[in-house]
Amino acid sequence: MKPLLIISHVACSRPGYLCEYLDRHRLPYQRFSIESGEPLPSPDRLSGLVLLGAPVSVNSDQAWIEREMRLVRDCAERNIPVFGICFGGQLISKAFGGEVFTASTMQIGWHPVTITEQGRQLFNGNPIPAQFTAFEWHEDTFTLPAGAVPLFSGGCIGNQGFLYRGCLAVQFHPEVTEEIVREWVARYEACVDNPTLCRQDHNAILQDLPQKLTAMRQMSDNLFYWWLNQVNPTHNPR
């Protein structure tokens, strides 16, 4: 099996629990940092592509964003599955004609996410719960590209995920670990100073954190399992 490529955009946005899952099931992967300035690998060398979050907008004029969108489109043309998380999901949206824009409110903390009817049909036989609590941290949101299948929805920010041409995009963060959550709360303390309905403060975020992560990982395991079976249908990591 060719390796998965996991692209990070800043040091504090790490694959976290996704790598724990891949290591546990002995699935090969490579990590790539946009900050390295090195050229992106050819899609021919990859079995799948994962795009992590970033504290910048997909609409900023940094040259690597267009290069990354080109890689996403190239992977889709070659039927190489792509998984985008937060910024990565927004990038998938824009790569295929969707719009990314500042949401009416920041969404930070633990929030309910619901699977759409289309999602229930797509995940048929995969035990992803109809509703789960996911960790969110984002200011932008996206529209769905024409023809995309809506998979997840939420209250504060409606569009929480979709599938388009083998590209799975989610707005929430199934990859976070306790270390990552605590680091973000400390690093971006100003974002959690004044809580609102959609933006929790650090106390609410960190309360019962291990239990919240354990509950989310039941969903994350099944989401990773489903996507990895698109990467390699002959492999059963369970």
Side-chain angles (χ1 to χ4, degrees):
M1 176 181 172
K2 297 177 183 178
L4 300 168
L5 181 69
I6 303 174
I7 297 180
S8 64
H9 306 98
V10 290
C12 67
S13 182
R14 304 187 296 278
Y17 183 63
L18 173 59
C19 283
E20 294 181 27
Y21 183 95
L22 295 173
D23 289 339
R24 189 164 68 244
H25 298 293
R26 300 180 181 179
L27 296 171
Y29 62 89
Q30 295 177 350
R31 295 177 61 175
F32 180 92
S33 172
I34 285 292
E35 292 182 314
S36 72
E38 297 177 3
L40 289 166
S42 166
D44 295 332
R45 296 167 49 193
L46 313 176
S47 65
L49 175 65
V50 180
L51 312 171
L52 300 177
V56 298
S57 172
V58 170
N59 297 317
S60 64
D61 59 0
Q62 300 182 60
W64 60 265
I65 293 178
E66 181 54 46
R67 291 197 295 268
E68 203 167 317
M69 287 194 293
R70 191 180 309 122
L71 177 60
V72 169
R73 290 189 288 262
D74 286 347
C75 285
E77 289 294 329
R78 291 168 170 78
N79 296 315
I80 298 171
V82 180
F83 184 13
I85 296 172
C86 197
F87 173 91
Q90 296 164 10
L91 190 143
I92 291 172
S93 171
K94 185 171 182 178
F96 295 109
E99 295 183 11
V100 178
F101 53 93
T102 303
S104 58
T105 178
M106 289 188 74
Q107 186 177 27
I108 296 176
W110 298 94
H111 295 273
V113 175
T114 302
I115 296 183
T116 65
E117 178 59 34
Q118 298 95 320
R120 284 195 291 270
Q121 295 174 15
L122 185 70
F123 297 131
N124 184 32
N126 190 299
I128 296 177
Q131 185 176 84
F132 52 88
T133 300
F135 189 72
E136 310 263 9
W137 196 304
H138 59 102
E139 185 173 11
D140 287 353
T141 186
F142 53 74
T143 64
L144 274 58
V149 179
L151 300 180
F152 303 105
S153 63
C156 290
I157 304 294
N159 288 332
Q160 289 288 328
F162 65 87
L163 182 70
Y164 181 81
R165 294 181 60 188
C167 299
L168 172 63
V170 298
Q171 184 61 77
F172 51 89
H173 286 275
E175 84 288 7
V176 293
T177 62
E178 181 169 351
E179 179 184 8
I180 290 172
V181 172
R182 291 186 181 278
E183 180 181 351
W184 289 0
V185 168
R187 179 182 293 265
Y188 302 109
E189 185 177 2
C191 294
V192 293
D193 274 349
N194 299 302
T196 66
L197 179 64
C198 298
R199 188 174 68 239
Q200 296 173 353
D201 64 17
H202 69 282
N203 289 324
I205 292 171
L206 299 179
Q207 183 179 13
D208 300 324
L209 182 57
Q211 294 89 333
K212 290 173 179 173
L213 286 167
T214 296
M216 186 174 71
R217 283 175 180 176
Q218 297 176 12
M219 176 278 301
S220 299
D221 282 353
N222 289 308
L223 186 63
F224 296 160
Y225 171 82
W226 180 88
W227 183 74
L228 286 164
N229 271 276
Q230 316 312 305
V231 174
N232 184 2
T234 65
H235 186 76
N236 188 341
R238 283 182 174 168

